Amino acid sequence: MTTTARPRQMRPLTPTAGSLREISGNDHLRRRYEYVPRNVVPVSDHREENNKVYRHRIGTLLGHASEEGITARDESVKDFNLFVDIAVPTDKAMLIIMDNGNLRATWREGLSRLSLEFTGDLRVRYVVFIPSVLLGASPAGAGDQSLERSGECSFGEIRTQIKDWKLWDMVAS
Amino acid sequence: MTCGSIPDCDHITHYVRPSKVLDDDSVDGSAFRGGALDDDGLSVNWLEYFIDGSETERLYAVACKIQQETRRNGRFAEMNIREVMDRLAIRSYTGSVIHDPQGAKNGHGPDPSHSLIRGLPNNDPEEIEIVADAIADCVRILHPPPKLKARSQGQ
């Protein structure tokens, strides 16, 4: 007796449910199809809830910005939404708006902190503080100093850095 | 006209605009750079300048005199001078807080408790960002602005 294997149920990943693949050199984000078990909770509900919270917070910040004579940059807001939806899915970002109109998001846990300013073009300026006790094995010559660093990079690069700094649990949901 | 360094055991406060107050009611480091920082240093107010009175009364005195508009959702960030100096020293900066009372200007009255944090980086953008965030970590108390009576011109 022959049996016909049941076709696997395939459905497109929502951005927050799957892993990301980057095109080397261009640093874009790409979705891919992947088998999803039936008992996986759909992430669209969580993302919608996150988006609502962020929308409310950004609305409040835009009000403050208007009173203070700051012109918010649409590109920065769009980049932030893209970042928390796809690059590093998170509902923990604390937001302010800078005098140059860019959104800045901060995550903190104990003495560790990461702040990202969304400058547009899928790029961020970051400031990271990590106490020495959390750095673990440090590169040669680093000694017992904590990490305090600032710089600029792409979404893909900061995502990698967040993992390298072991801050993923602090940042991502 | 500056009047000398302020003792390290004293406290300073810096007005933080609503757009720089984080979701958890703490201060973002960007409050300590940009317009707040110029060649002379970071503008703050010396709380112990007002010798008499409680902490609340001192803050009220600062808020009455500060030469900028304060908003309901803004905050006065209070810091201990020693803690700020120690934090700057970690990044090899020798900072100091100088008493710099201001006369009346721009339609505002004199600000006698005005002071400056000096010794901060102001040329290297990356250092400015790091130091500003480090100063934000020194904020121990965030006070809501006290309710003020309406100021008269030049008061």
Side-chain angles (χ1 to χ4, degrees), chain A residues 57 61 64 67-68 70 93-99 104 106 108 113 115 117 125 127 129 148-151, chain B residues 17-24 26 28-30 33 35 71 73 87 90-91 126 129-130 133-134 136-137:
Chain A
R57 174 58 180 163
L61 285 173
H64 293 326
E67 290 176 353
E68 296 171 26
I70 299 170
M94 296 189 291
L95 299 176
I96 60 102
I97 188 162
M98 301 184 63
D99 287 351
R104 191 177 198 230
T106 293
R108 271 203 296 259
R113 63 137 74 212
S115 291
E117 175 189 350
R125 286 203 62 83
V127 177
F129 291 169
E148 295 184 351
R149 190 176 295 169
S150 167
Chain B
R17 287 176 284 136
S19 61
K20 309 296 180 285
V21 179
L22 285 161
D23 304 51
D24 64 353
S26 63
D28 186 78
S30 58
R33 47 174 158 134
R71 296 186 184 278
N73 292 313
R87 191 64 179 86
I90 290 175
R91 296 214 52 88
E126 293 186 357
E129 290 173 339
I130 293 173
D133 279 11
D137 283 348

Side-chain angles (χ1 to χ4, degrees), chain A residues 41-110:
Chain A
V41 176
V43 295
S44 57
D45 294 337
H46 297 299
R47 186 171 63 168
E48 186 53 37
E49 188 59 33
N50 293 347
N51 287 347
K52 196 187 302 182
V53 171
Y54 285 139
R55 271 202 304 272
H56 182 263
R57 174 58 180 163
I58 291 171
T60 301
L61 285 173
L62 292 180
H64 293 326
S66 175
E67 290 176 353
E68 296 171 26
I70 299 170
T71 303
R73 293 186 64 230
D74 287 342
E75 192 177 3
S76 180
V77 175
K78 287 176 185 171
D79 267 15
F80 168 76
N81 287 327
L82 195 64
F83 184 85
V84 297
D85 269 355
I86 298 178
V88 182
T90 176
D91 60 356
K92 306 177 191 175
M94 296 189 291
L95 299 176
I96 60 102
I97 188 162
M98 301 184 63
D99 287 351
N100 59 13
N102 288 337
L103 275 188
R104 191 177 198 230
T106 293
W107 295 263
R108 271 203 296 259
E109 190 172 85

Side-chain angles (χ1 to χ4, degrees), chain B residues 25-83:
Chain B
D25 210 34
S26 63
V27 181
D28 186 78
S30 58
F32 300 102
R33 47 174 158 134
L37 181 65
D38 58 26
D39 290 341
D40 291 334
L42 176 68
S43 282
V44 294
N45 285 87
W46 178 20
L47 280 172
E48 281 83 357
Y49 171 83
F50 301 102
I51 299 173
D52 299 325
S54 64
E55 183 182 89
T56 304
E57 289 164 340
R58 287 176 178 169
L59 188 66
Y60 183 90
V62 166
C64 281
K65 302 289 186 185
I66 195 171
Q67 291 175 335
Q68 60 176 301
E69 186 180 359
T70 59
R71 296 186 184 278
R72 180 173 54 89
N73 292 313
R75 295 289 183 266
F76 282 91
E78 181 180 329
M79 297 162 277
N80 172 257
I81 295 175
R82 181 74 260 162
E83 286 186 22

